Structures are given as structure tokens and as C-alpha cells.
């Protein structure tokens, strides 16, 4: 099974989140960077379900508690 994800993080942490999703076999679909110093960015993509089990703790550690994410079942991949 795979899920679609949306991760919202501060602008200066986008690179770390992209790297983490890549390590989790994720595919990034879009990155929307917010404007301004205190802005947040939105990262959208797809990740195998097994790779995001416990992701909330990892994201909290990675972003110092400032990142949030949502996920939604997408379907099964047969690749």
C-alpha cells in the first residue's frame, strides 16, 4: 500500500525533509515554498505505507517540533 502525503515545515527545513522522504523511498510531487522569513513550505508526495509508520516522531525530531503532516491511502503499487 502507498499513501499520499502533505508535509508542512519551515522554509529552512525543506531540504532535510526532502532528503528524509527520499530515504523512505518516497516520490516528491510538488514543493510550494512560502514567502517571508517566518513562512512555511508544503511538500506533497507519495510514500509506501510501511515507510511512514512512526513518521510523526521522526518529523518532530527533524524539525524541532515545527513540522506537521497528513497522509491518505492512495492504493497498492505493484512495482
Amino acid at each position: 500500500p502507498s499513501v499520499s502525503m502533505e508535509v508542512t515545515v519551515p522554509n529552512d527545513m525543506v531540504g532535510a525533509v526532502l532528503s528524509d522522504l527520499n530515504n523512505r523511498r518516497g516520490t516528491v510531487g510538488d514543493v510550494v515554498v512560502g514567502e517571508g522569513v517566518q513562512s512555511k513550505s508544503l511538500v506533497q508526495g507519495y510514500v509506501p505505507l510501511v515507510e511512514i509508520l512512526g513518521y510523526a516522531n521522526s518529523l518532530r525530531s527533524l524539525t524541532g517540533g515545527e513540522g506537521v503532516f497528513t497522509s491518505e491511502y492512495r492504493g497498492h503499487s505493484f512495482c
Side-chain angles (χ1 to χ4, degrees):
S2 62
V3 296
S4 59
M5 287 184 67
E6 289 188 350
V7 185
T8 305
V9 296
N11 287 343
D12 59 340
M13 298 178 185
V14 171
V17 169
L18 291 175
S19 177
D20 185 53
L21 290 176
N22 187 44
N23 289 338
R24 294 173 183 272
R25 300 184 293 149
T27 303
V28 175
D30 198 13
V31 178
V32 180
V33 179
E35 296 180 20
V37 178
Q38 297 291 329
S39 293
K40 303 242 178 181
S41 296
L42 176 67
V43 178
Q44 298 173 321
Y46 304 100
V47 182
L49 177 62
V50 70
E51 296 290 343
I52 66 160
L53 297 177
Y55 186 66
N57 290 332
S58 298
L59 184 64
R60 188 178 310 119
S61 297
L62 191 63
T63 63
E66 296 185 44
V68 296
F69 83 101
T70 60
S71 62
E72 182 177 329
Y73 175 75
R74 176 177 167 224
H76 281 75
S77 299
F78 298 103
C79 299

